[in-house]
Amino acid sequence: MITGGCLCGAVHYRVTGPMRPVIACHCAQCRMTSGHHVAATSALRDDVQITGTVQWFASSDSARRGFCGTCGSNLFWDGPGSHLSIFAGTLDAPTGLTLAGHIFCADKGDYYDIADDLPQADADDPALTTQVDV
C-alpha cells in the first residue's frame, strides 16, 4: 500500500494495488497546470481510496484533472480507461517507483532538455502509459 496527498493535508489517498512506473508528460496542458512537465504513475481506479474533497477541472472533452481546492496541489489526471493517473510528487516516500519514459516530447518546453536515455514518444504512447507492474 502506498499513500499520498496534497500540501495542506485536506486530501489524502491510498493505493492498495500495483502502480505502473512513473512517466513524464511534456504536453502543453501538463506544463500549464504544473508549471513544468508532470511525472505520474497510475493505478486501477478501484485500488485508489480518496479522503477529502477533490476539485475536478475538465481539461478536455475526454479528461479531467483533480486538485485540492484549498492548497491547489495537482493530484490526479482522469481520462478514458481503467486507470487513474496519480502525480508522483504527491506520493509519500518510499514509493519504490522509477521513471520509465517520456510522452508528448514534441510539445516539451523550449527551456529544458530531456537528458536521460529513457524512451521518448512525440505524442501518447500506450506501451508506456498503460503498463502496470504486477
Side-chain angles (χ1 to χ4, degrees):
M1 180 180 67
I2 293 182
T3 60
C6 68
L7 179 63
C8 73
V11 178
H12 294 276
Y13 60 85
R14 67 183 178 131
V15 183
T16 56
M19 293 188 298
R20 70 136 203 258
V22 176
I23 303 299
C25 182
H26 301 268
C27 78
Q29 284 188 7
C30 282
R31 289 188 296 108
M32 291 178 82
T33 62
S34 72
H36 193 40
H37 62 80
V38 162
T41 182
S42 73
L44 286 169
R45 279 188 188 82
D46 290 344
D47 291 344
V48 181
Q49 293 81 42
I50 301 169
T51 57
T53 301
V54 175
Q55 299 294 310
W56 293 97
F57 171 71
S59 54
S60 71
D61 290 340
S62 61
R64 62 186 187 155
R65 294 170 183 274
F67 62 94
C68 173
T70 303
C71 67
S73 293
N74 291 306
L75 300 165
F76 308 108
W77 182 90
D78 188 19
S82 58
H83 288 72
L84 177 67
S85 290
I86 302 164
F87 286 25
T90 67
L91 294 165
D92 296 328
T95 67
L97 300 173
T98 58
L99 186 66
H102 303 267
I103 59 173
F104 290 98
C105 295
D107 297 338
K108 79 168 200 59
D110 62 357
Y111 61 91
Y112 65 94
D113 293 318
I114 300 172
D116 57 44
D117 293 328
L118 296 173
Q120 296 182 22
D122 283 343
D124 190 19
D125 184 345
L128 288 174
T129 57
T130 60
Q131 63 179 316
V132 175
D133 288 338
V134 180

